[in-house]
Amino acid sequence: QVQLVESGGGLVQAGGSLRLSCAASGRTFSRYSMGWFRQAPGKEREFVAAISWGTGNTLYADSVKARFTISRDNAKNMVSLQMNSLKPEDTAVYYCAADPNPYLTTTRTQRGTSWDYWGQGTQVTVSS
């Protein structure tokens, strides 16, 4: 069982940066791949980024590639999402997720139903 708590959301102007954090409880955090998803009002939840526990590989949605960076600190049971050059279209509730699968694959990883555990979400609002 893994409990996830996100933090770091807020209001930022376009072009600005935010760093989201997700604190995980559980003895085997290092054996979970971690991901971030987001859901904007009236839209479906979408994949943002993920980092595997098996290889440390990362995967990003095309819309955030080169702007967002996912990282993890297994000693602190923490995964972070550094978001730079934010755009109004990045406005959404951001969710942290965990999956015991050690590898990332383009199709499976980007499917929300593949992830076993979810946090409550943190709001990110980017003003124009």
Side-chain angles (χ1 to χ4, degrees):
Q1 190 80 5
V2 177
Q3 287 80 44
L4 305 172
V5 179
E6 303 94 336
S7 62
L11 174 64
V12 64
Q13 288 189 333
S17 298
L18 277 177
R19 186 177 181 86
L20 304 183
S21 295
C22 174
S25 62
R27 295 175 297 173
T28 57
F29 171 79
S30 61
R31 292 187 175 269
Y32 283 86
S33 294
M34 300 300 297
W36 289 93
F37 286 73
R38 66 186 182 187
Q39 187 167 19
K43 295 188 177 181
E44 292 188 354
R45 180 179 57 192
E46 66 173 357
F47 170 77
V48 176
I51 184 166
S52 75
W53 73 262
T55 61
N57 286 352
T58 57
L59 186 67
Y60 294 93
D62 288 343
S63 59
V64 307
K65 213 170 282 185
R67 297 189 299 124
F68 291 11
T69 303
I70 188 171
S71 60
R72 66 188 298 158
D73 185 337
N74 289 337
K76 296 182 179 179
N77 281 15
M78 188 85 68
V79 62
S80 298
L81 185 69
Q82 178 66 43
M83 306 186 295
N84 298 329
S85 302
L86 283 161
K87 305 175 181 180
E89 50 264 44
D90 294 318
T91 295
V93 177
Y94 282 71
Y95 297 92
C96 176
D99 177 14
N101 193 305
Y103 305 110
L104 305 180
T105 60
T106 302
T107 301
R108 182 183 183 282
T109 299
Q110 297 190 52
R111 192 168 59 230
T113 53
S114 299
W115 297 79
D116 289 356
Y117 302 102
W118 294 85
Q120 294 300 307
T122 185
Q123 176 70 47
V124 171
T125 303
V126 185
S127 62
S128 57

